Amino acid sequence: RSADRVEADVTGLLRERLAAIAEEAERGVAAVPGVNLAAMTDEIAKLKVAIDGAQFPAAVEGAIHLRESLERLRRQGEEADESLRRARDLVGEIEGMNLELPATLRLLEKADRAYRMGQFEEAADFAASAEAEAARERDEAIAAAMRRLEESIARTRQQGTDTRSADIPSSSTSIRR
């Protein structure tokens, strides 16, 4: 009798712990934005069926897999969120310079859409591409502005105006102190 009672107690404790893991997984799925709920809900349902059927090896394996999946999703979500934040910060700085970033904004929109859909790796990739594109668009806009300034100075010089105060020092010209 005591062996049966010990077995029943252990079985009860195991069932309670696995059920707690299933509940924790349900809360975790709800907490991660955009997660593919159907796939995760299916895994949770399989775990509950295994628990109810006292199929503890399958239940333990399912619980471990579920925890790993949720942790991976949470980590990917955090990484994507950080990538999006960096890209948005850079866009804000560049827009503060009154520069246009059409390609960057399209990439950032794709990153946001992927994030909302729970495709965190894709969101992080789009955000990283947006950062690189923002730097490229910024550099091109600055170079174009410098060319326009130099052309303007050259035209003014051709008209006979003294442009020494507007000349842009080259790297070989030393600045007087």
Side-chain angles (χ1 to χ4, degrees), residues 1 7-8 19 53 55 75 82 91 97 156 158 161 174:
R1 271 193 198 214
E7 183 180 343
Q55 300 167 343
R75 193 172 47 253
E82 178 63 22
V91 165
M97 301 165 84
T156 305
Q158 284 178 344
T161 306
S174 63

Side-chain angles (χ1 to χ4, degrees), residues 5-141:
R5 193 170 73 207
V6 167
E7 183 180 343
D9 287 349
V10 169
T11 301
L13 289 172
L14 188 54
R15 189 181 307 262
E16 285 175 24
R17 184 64 189 129
L18 288 168
I21 290 171
E23 288 174 21
E24 179 184 325
E26 288 176 320
R27 286 191 304 273
V29 166
V32 179
V35 171
N36 180 349
L37 293 176
M40 296 304 281
T41 302
D42 190 41
E43 283 191 49
I44 293 169
K46 286 179 185 176
L47 174 59
K48 287 181 175 181
V49 166
I51 294 168
D52 291 342
Q55 300 167 343
F56 296 122
V60 168
E61 187 177 313
I64 290 169
H65 181 263
L66 196 56
R67 271 191 158 172
E68 289 171 351
S69 295
L70 283 170
E71 180 57 30
R72 184 175 47 256
L73 277 172
R74 186 193 59 73
R75 193 172 47 253
Q76 288 173 345
E78 288 174 356
E79 290 170 4
D81 191 51
E82 178 63 22
S83 294
L84 281 164
R85 186 196 57 74
R86 280 193 317 270
R88 282 188 193 104
D89 287 350
L90 182 58
V91 165
E93 290 174 20
I94 295 171
E95 285 179 336
M97 301 165 84
N98 292 322
L99 301 177
E100 301 273 328
L101 302 168
T104 299
L105 294 177
R106 281 192 299 278
L107 286 167
L108 202 51
E109 186 177 306
K110 287 179 180 182
D112 283 331
R113 191 175 322 119
Y115 184 85
R116 287 190 307 272
M117 293 172 56
Q119 298 169 343
F120 301 128
E121 286 185 64
E122 189 175 332
D125 289 345
F126 278 127
S129 295
E131 262 189 283
E133 185 64 21
R136 188 191 66 74
E137 286 182 305
R138 176 200 59 210
D139 293 348
E140 282 183 4

